[in-house]
């Protein structure tokens, strides 16, 4: 693809999809890049063809609207396109995508990054046992394939997702052994005023709760899973009561189950923005480290915009509006007269973001989480590194996440540290007696996602390899 | 408190010199703008290969190899032997000429038949035209540089400060250096500049102009793979080095150039150069095509126009020294640091140093 688009959008979720639509509506030539087979992102994920007849959820419907809008727009949607590196080439951005097993460049004048979020799972003893999956991972199973995680599942974690996952498991015919959430009823009462402004979502939550109550699913408020039992497969979990800073107080019960869904909020995916030189700030209310961007998506780097959960966890509705605002902003910066009132959209975004913020607040980590792990608990699951190894490295002087990564390989595996760095940073901060906001994540490196070497190398003729002159003798 | 010497730069050059001067009785402090061993010394490919060393530096490299062997498991040392490959006649000629000279300079390098190569490394391509072998070759794990030297400095009771960039240096009347850092001022009677690719701006603080440039070398690593090779594999031009670590990951380097400058940060991988680098690796070892690349990164390797080290007294500033720009500096670092330390202690070095005050001529091959 050698022609230059006006705008490339990375990520086809609510934010990126709407950014692409808004920019295209305002006359720009837009290419939308996403590695999934269809638009929708994590939350508005499309169902696989095998289960198309299944009843539609709110998310599938929202996703269908987006997918239809993209299909009937002028947006060039390259699906199955994994963006593995982005660089600046002269006046343009170049996104290197892996598609059909080949790497190719896509060029654009402006770039909108909407990479969304990933799930944070706070390690507990046994969390890598087969049968444990992330809460967000579970929702992907439901949405795409209508599969439940097991016969009898414990659902544990923070925020609204535990209730959604538990009721979906029941709806799809699974059994929920219990819901274990560090949040208390009081935490939820604090979120209530904002929720009242979103009656539809509140109703939906009420439906889940009524269903769970009728089914007499036990809900452990202010509790956490402190240990996963079983060696080759989950056989149960131990549940402990938490105090106000989420330090486990005492073990209260063991729940028998063959599976566990576990998750503690979402983390913005900031690596691409960081690699392009955008600064980052620690903001627990937004999900941790966030790139520095304006509400309208603009950054201190020309022609680079960010939107959606990748800039702070505000949820799907806010992401969709922010995507629209960002698409318009990028279009107007390239000289288009925008068709919608930016200010009205901005206010709409504020309302939606307020709700998302209240939900994110339920997942803000608390100090006591450091005590959900033991010395033996695996912290970096790719490399199988236990907490004690990390602590040993920190105690002998490694003071940054980069130093811990170099010393014990925490973060050198396939995930590139995306999943362990929050826990590693917390251990360093704890040892130094400082706040996690002083412990930056490790330097991100390309590829943004692993890529087969052969695909990067491409087909080549040996004689055409541009071998420079050899080093001095 | 006035130190006998302040060492600016906690890479392999700074740390190894610190250990020697302190063993000789001096009180030293090491200052680094980041973490110890996170510059070139912590991100390099870790190849310990005599076959890619400059002829004139061979005696230093041989000494360096022995020191790495002594450091052993703590630095992930492995002596695997290494093959250097030529894929066409032109490269075969280059290989012959270069490795013969290196063998004459003392490296135990021999030329090997295709049969022997295949028996040792069955995964390599059949397209090899000529190959050389050196039993001394191997690798160490550069990621462990920081951890290793941090431990050594602690054991030797040497003070070090990380996240501590030197921003100004003044020579006071009494002949003492006043070194400004964000964590306060440090006083020292002597100074060693060991700031790697950052030497030029550092020396400029003392009004000395060192003609230091930086190359931006790229390295890539794959996920863990089943055994694919057991020795270090190189290319006649030096533009490929690769090895499979004990954990199964394959590290691919060769000095392909990324983008950026030391002042701007950690540098950026250039797709246009990393792709041929990986293609060359796959050409040499076809099964690599299936390995997923997990990370590519860059590091800054300093050099001066003649590509020989800066090792000796800093011109025009009494009691100030400089050590850096050593080609193959990871291999040679532990040894040249000892030489430098002895020089600073006023002892006769075992081998000659490289006067930083020399006139530089552009190097020709
Ligand atoms: C990618 C790459 C691959 C390589 N591969 C190999 C190989 O396979 N084999 C081999 O033998 N050699 C290799 N080399 C070369 C080798 O890594 C270097 O020669 C060697 O590490 C240089 O060590 P150094 O201590 O001079 O520099 P560095 O390790 O860069 O140390 C300099 C230190 O100075 C600090 N500093 C700079 N300015 C200041 C300041 N103002 N105040 C305080 N601190 C400061 C920096 O933070 C840094 O830690 C490679 C180099 C690179 C970059």
């Amino acid at each position: 693809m050698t022609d230059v688009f006006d705008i490339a959008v990375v990520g086809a979720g609510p934010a990126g999809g709407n950014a692409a639509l808004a920019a295209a509506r305002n006359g720009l030539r837009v290419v939308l890049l996403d590695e999934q087979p269809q638009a929708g992102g994590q939350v508005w994920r499309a169902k696989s063809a095998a289960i198309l007849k299944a009843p539609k959820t709110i998310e599938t419907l929202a996703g269908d609207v987006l997918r239809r809008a993209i299909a009937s727009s002028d947006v060039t949607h390259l699906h199955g396109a994994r963006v593995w590196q982005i660089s600046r080439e002269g006046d343009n951005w170049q996104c290197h995508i892996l598609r059909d097993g080949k790497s190719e460049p896509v060029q654009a004048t402006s770039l909108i990054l909407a990479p969304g979020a990933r799930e944070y799972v706070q390690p507990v003893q046994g969390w890598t046992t087969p049968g444990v999956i992330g809460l967000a991972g579970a929702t992907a199973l439901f949405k795409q394939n209508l599969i439940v995680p097991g016969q009898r599942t414990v659902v544990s974690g923070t925020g609204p997702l535990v209730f959604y996952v538990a009721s979906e498991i029941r709806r799809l015919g699974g059994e929920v052994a219990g819901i274990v959430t560090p949040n208390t009823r009081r935490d939820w009462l604090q979120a209530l005023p904002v929720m009242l402004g979103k009656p539809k979502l509140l109703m939906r939550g009420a439906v889940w709760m009524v269903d769970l109550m009728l089914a007499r699913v036990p809900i452990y408020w202010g509790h956490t899973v402190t240990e996963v039992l079983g060696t080759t497969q989950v056989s149960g979990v131990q549940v402990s009561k938490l105090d106000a800073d989420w330090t486990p107080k005492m073990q209260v019960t063991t729940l028998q189950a063959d599976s566990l869904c576990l998750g503690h909020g979402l983390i913005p995916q900031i690596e691409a923005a960081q690699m392009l030189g955008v600064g980052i700030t620690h903001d627990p209310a937004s999900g941790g480290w966030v790139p520095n961007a304006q509400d309208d998506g603009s950054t201190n780097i020309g022609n680079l915009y960010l939107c959606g959960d990748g800039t702070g966890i505000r949820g799907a509705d806010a992401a969709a509006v922010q995507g629209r605002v960002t698409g318009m902003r990028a279009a107007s910066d390239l000289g288009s007269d925008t068709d919608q009132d930016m200010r009205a959209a901005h206010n709409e975004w504020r309302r939606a973001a307020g709700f998302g913020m209240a939900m994110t607040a339920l997942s803000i980590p608390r100090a006591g989480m450091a005590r959900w792990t033991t010395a033996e608990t695996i912290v970096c699951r790719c490399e199988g590194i236990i907490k004690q190894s990390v602590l040993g490295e920190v105690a002998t002087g490694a003071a940054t996440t980069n130093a811990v990564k170099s010393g014990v390989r925490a973060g050198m595996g396939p995930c590139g540290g995306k999943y362990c760095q929050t826990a590693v940073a917390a251990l360093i901060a704890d040892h130094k007696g400082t706040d996690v906001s002083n412990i930056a994540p490790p330097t991100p490196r390309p590829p943004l996602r692993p890529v087969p070497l052969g695909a990067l190398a491409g087909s080549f003729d040996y004689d055409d390899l541009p071998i420079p002159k050899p080093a001095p003798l | 408190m006035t130190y006998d010497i302040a060492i600016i730069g906690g890479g392999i050059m700074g740390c190894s010199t610190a250990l020697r001067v302190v063993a000789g009785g001096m009180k030293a402090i090491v200052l680094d703008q980041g973490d110890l061993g996170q510059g070139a010394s912590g991100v390099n490919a870790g190849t310990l290969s005599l076959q890619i060393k400059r002829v004139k530096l061979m005696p230093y490299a041989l000494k360096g190899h022995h020191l790495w062997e002594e450091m052993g498991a703590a630095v992930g040392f492995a002596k695997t032997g290494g093959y250097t490959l030529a894929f066409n006649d032109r490269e075969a000629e280059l290989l012959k000429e270069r490795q013969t000279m290196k063998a004459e300079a003392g490296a135990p390098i021999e030329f090997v038949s295709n049969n022997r190569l295949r028996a040792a490394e069955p995964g390599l391509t059949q397209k090899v035209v000529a190959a050389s072998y050196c039993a001394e070759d191997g690798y160490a794990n550069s990621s462990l540089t920081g951890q290793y030297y941090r431990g050594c400095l602690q054991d030797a009771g040497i003070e070090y400060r990380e996240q501590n960039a030197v921003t100004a240096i003044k020579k006071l009347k009494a002949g003492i250096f006043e070194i400004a850092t964000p964590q306060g001022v440090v006083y020292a009677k002597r100074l060693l500049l060991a700031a790697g690719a950052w030497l030029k701006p550092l020396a400029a603080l003392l009004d000395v102009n060192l003609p230091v440039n930086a190359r931006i070398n790229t390295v890539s690593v794959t996920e863990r793979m089943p055994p694919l090779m057991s020795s270090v594999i190189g290319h006649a031009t030096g533009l490929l080095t690769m090895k499979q670590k004990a954990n199964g990951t394959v590290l691919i380097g060769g000095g392909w150039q990324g983008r950026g400058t030391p002042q701007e940060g950690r540098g950026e991988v250039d797709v246009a150069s990393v792709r041929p680098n990986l293609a060359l690796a796959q050409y040499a070892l076809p099964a690599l095509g299936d390995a997923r690349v997990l990370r590519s990164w860059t590091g800054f390797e300093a050099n001066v126009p003649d590509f020989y080290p800066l090792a000796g007294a800093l011109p025009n500033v009494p009691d100030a020294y400089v050590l850096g720009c050593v080609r193959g500096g990871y291999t040679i670092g532990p040894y040249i640091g000892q030489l430098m330390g002895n020089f600073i202690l006023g002892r006769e070095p075992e081998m000659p140093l490289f006067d930083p005050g020399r006139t530089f001529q552009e190097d020709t091959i």
Side-chain angles (χ1 to χ4, degrees):
Chain A
M1 217 154 282
T2 45
D3 52 345
V4 178
F5 289 90
D6 294 321
I7 298 191
V9 181
V10 178
N18 279 292
L21 287 171
R25 232 183 15 245
N26 286 288
L28 298 186
R29 293 181 59 247
V30 179
V31 62
L32 176 61
L33 307 168
D34 196 298
E35 64 182 340
Q36 306 273 356
Q38 294 187 58
Q42 301 295 348
V43 61
W44 293 350
R45 184 180 288 271
K47 295 192 186 307
S48 76
I51 57 159
L52 276 182
K53 290 208 186 67
K56 303 217 179 230
T57 62
I58 297 183
E59 283 79 19
T60 353
L61 290 172
D64 287 347
V65 171
L66 180 71
R67 285 181 279 275
R68 269 199 303 274
I70 292 171
S72 58
S73 75
D74 292 332
V75 172
T76 304
H77 178 201
L78 298 184
H79 48 82
R82 165 170 291 199
V83 177
W84 64 271
Q85 166 76 321
I86 306 171
S87 60
R88 190 88 195 146
E89 303 297 333
D91 292 337
N92 298 321
W93 295 104
Q94 195 163 70
C95 297
H96 299 272
I97 63 171
L98 179 72
R99 196 163 184 246
D100 299 329
K102 286 205 294 278
S103 177
E104 52 179 305
V106 173
Q107 300 222 56
T109 309
S110 291
L111 177 65
I112 299 178
L113 298 178
R118 57 176 172 261
E119 186 165 38
Y120 178 61
V121 179
Q122 165 66 34
V124 297
Q125 191 60 28
W127 70 295
T128 56
T129 310
V132 182
I133 63 167
L135 283 176
T139 66
L141 278 185
F142 308 149
K143 288 176 194 166
Q144 206 164 339
N145 303 318
L146 295 182
I147 292 173
V148 291
Q151 305 269 324
R152 189 178 146 84
T153 309
V154 172
V155 182
S156 178
T158 52
L161 212 50
V162 274
F163 302 104
Y164 170 64
V165 166
S167 67
E168 281 295 286
I169 289 175
R170 285 192 25 76
R171 195 171 69 86
L172 296 174
E175 185 190 347
V176 177
I179 295 176
V180 185
T181 177
N183 299 127
T184 57
R185 289 191 190 84
R186 176 192 289 246
D187 292 340
W188 276 100
L189 275 178
Q190 277 167 2
L192 194 62
V194 190
M195 288 163 65
L196 289 173
K198 288 265 178 182
K200 265 196 203 149
L201 289 168
L202 190 61
M203 256 318 284
R204 209 166 160 222
V207 170
W208 301 339
M209 294 308 284
V210 168
D211 168 63
L212 294 167
M213 273 153 66
L214 288 177
R216 295 185 187 282
V217 172
I219 303 179
Y220 295 87
W221 301 99
H223 286 69
T224 188
V225 167
T226 36
E227 185 172 350
V228 182
L229 306 172
T231 44
T232 53
Q233 174 68 34
V234 174
S235 63
V237 302
Q238 287 191 344
V239 176
S240 297
K241 183 156 181 51
L242 297 174
D243 70 7
D245 88 336
W246 290 358
T247 301
K249 277 293 143 213
M250 60 176 168
Q251 199 180 301
V252 292
T253 188
T254 302
L255 296 173
Q256 305 299 323
D258 63 3
S259 46
L260 166 68
C261 299
L262 194 62
H264 305 95
L266 300 175
I267 300 178
Q269 309 229 67
I270 61 174
E271 291 75 17
Q274 264 185 296
M275 277 159 47
L276 296 179
V278 179
I280 58 172
T281 306
H282 193 260
D283 177 18
S286 295
W289 290 96
V290 291
N292 302 332
Q294 306 295 320
D295 289 348
D296 66 2
S298 50
T299 67
N300 62 334
I301 293 179
N303 295 349
L304 176 63
Y305 306 83
L306 312 173
C307 58
D309 275 359
T311 64
I313 310 301
R314 298 283 178 266
D317 289 358
V321 185
Q322 200 191 12
R324 180 151 43 92
V325 172
T326 303
M328 285 194 283
R329 172 64 202 249
S332 89
D333 286 354
L334 287 182
S336 299
D337 291 326
T338 48
D339 61 340
Q340 284 181 9
D341 181 3
M342 290 278 273
R343 185 165 316 165
H346 220 98
N347 290 335
E348 197 185 332
W349 177 73
R350 258 177 225 295
R351 279 193 302 278
F355 177 79
M357 223 163 143
M359 295 300 108
T360 300
L362 293 161
S363 292
I364 295 176
R366 300 189 197 173
M369 284 172 107
R371 285 172 283 280
W372 296 10
T373 46
T374 69
E376 300 303 318
T377 304
I378 288 177
V379 174
C380 162
R381 70 181 302 170
C382 297
E383 295 284 315
I385 293 153
I386 60 173
K387 176 174 162 182
Q388 194 170 333
S389 310
V390 174
L391 285 179
E393 191 63 17
V394 172
T396 52
T400 64
T401 51
N402 277 327
V404 170
K405 177 176 166 185
S406 298
V408 295
R409 297 188 60 79
M412 282 200 183
C415 92
K418 294 187 180 81
Y419 292 96
C420 63
Q421 287 314 319
T422 307
V424 169
L427 292 174
I428 298 172
D430 199 36
H431 179 85
K432 289 176 63 165
T434 180
D435 190 75
V436 283
S437 61
N438 297 317
I439 311 295
T443 316
R445 305 289 197 185
L448 288 162
R449 305 271 162 89
V451 180
L453 188 145
L456 293 187
S459 55
F460 57 90
D461 228 1
Y462 183 75
D463 294 326
D464 292 340
L465 288 179
I467 296 183
K469 78 173 188 174
L473 187 61
Chain B
M1 158 97 186
T2 303
Y3 296 91
D4 292 321
I5 184 165
I7 294 171
I8 306 174
I12 202 156
M13 300 301 164
C15 290
S16 58
T17 309
L19 291 171
R20 175 48 58 113
V21 293
V22 168
M26 283 190 175
K27 179 110 188 104
I29 183 168
V30 178
L31 306 170
D32 201 294
Q33 62 186 5
D35 296 319
L36 291 183
Q38 288 279 342
S41 305
V43 301
N44 67 69
T47 315
L48 305 172
S49 169
L50 296 175
Q51 296 181 82
I52 54 175
K53 290 296 160 317
R54 300 198 69 182
V55 172
K56 204 168 141 190
L57 295 182
M58 197 58 75
Y60 303 82
L62 280 161
K63 292 277 189 181
H65 268 243
H66 296 141
L67 291 176
W68 282 105
E69 196 161 359
E70 280 168 25
M71 293 185 264
V75 290
F77 174 81
K79 192 198 273 193
T80 56
Y83 292 93
T84 302
L85 315 177
F87 296 127
N88 59 33
D89 293 341
R90 190 174 39 83
E91 291 167 5
E93 211 172 292
L94 189 73
L95 185 78
K96 185 100 196 148
E97 177 200 314
R98 294 191 152 209
Q99 302 305 348
T100 305
M101 287 175 76
K102 291 174 189 186
E104 281 162 4
I109 298 171
E110 52 187 317
F111 293 94
V112 294
S113 70
N114 261 350
N115 282 347
R116 190 175 141 194
L117 177 68
R118 275 181 206 146
E121 295 290 352
L124 288 178
T125 171
Q126 306 285 308
K127 295 173 188 149
V128 178
V129 172
S132 61
Y133 177 72
C134 178
E136 269 296 309
D137 289 357
Y139 61 82
N141 182 355
S142 73
S143 301
L144 297 176
T145 304
Q147 183 197 63
Y148 176 77
Y149 278 109
R150 199 178 288 123
C152 291
L153 296 186
Q154 286 170 3
D155 290 348
I158 303 172
E159 210 181 313
Y160 65 86
R161 295 189 196 159
E162 300 181 299
Q163 319 302 329
N164 211 355
V166 171
T167 49
I169 308 175
K170 216 166 41 192
K171 188 144 190 192
L172 303 179
K173 282 230 173 58
I176 287 177
F177 292 101
E178 184 184 81
I179 302 152
T181 85
Q183 287 175 33
V185 180
V186 171
Y187 295 97
K189 293 181 198 151
R190 296 175 196 79
L191 206 57
L192 172 67
L193 310 186
W198 296 266
L199 269 175
K200 194 181 173 74
L202 185 63
L205 299 178
L206 287 159
D207 291 325
V208 177
N209 179 27
L210 293 177
V212 175
N213 295 310
R215 282 171 57 81
I216 310 139
N217 298 344
T218 308
V219 184
S220 302
V221 67
T222 72
E223 63 190 327
R224 294 167 192 250
M225 296 293 287
L228 296 172
M229 66 192 114
S230 54
S231 356
V232 173
I233 305 295
H235 185 253
T237 58
L239 288 160
L240 172 68
T241 64
M242 61 178 180
K243 62 209 94 38
Q244 185 168 26
K245 301 295 194 64
N247 67 9
T249 59
V250 177
L251 208 60
I252 299 164
W256 292 75
Q257 296 296 289
R259 300 175 180 181
T261 66
Q263 283 69 44
E264 288 167 346
R266 282 195 162 207
E268 195 188 317
V269 170
D270 185 354
V271 172
S273 76
V274 80
R275 294 186 69 186
N277 186 186
L278 298 174
L280 190 55
Q282 188 190 1
Y283 187 83
L285 205 135
L288 270 180
D290 296 329
R292 290 188 308 164
V293 175
L294 297 189
R295 273 189 314 285
S296 294
W297 65 92
T298 51
F300 295 109
E301 184 183 25
N303 58 47
V304 286
D306 63 10
F307 287 94
Y308 285 110
L310 295 179
L314 186 70
N316 303 326
V317 187
D319 302 320
Y321 304 87
V322 55
L323 176 60
C325 302
V326 184
R327 201 172 180 92
Y330 181 68
T331 313
I332 296 173
Y335 179 66
I336 204 165
Q338 290 186 358
L339 291 183
M340 191 71 214
N342 285 343
F343 181 71
I344 293 169
L345 289 166
R347 299 175 187 169
E348 190 62 39
E350 190 181 30
M351 282 190 215
L353 289 170
F354 296 82
D355 181 13
R358 68 185 179 267
T359 32
F360 294 95
Q361 258 138 33
E362 285 290 332
D363 194 79
T364 48
I365 295 174

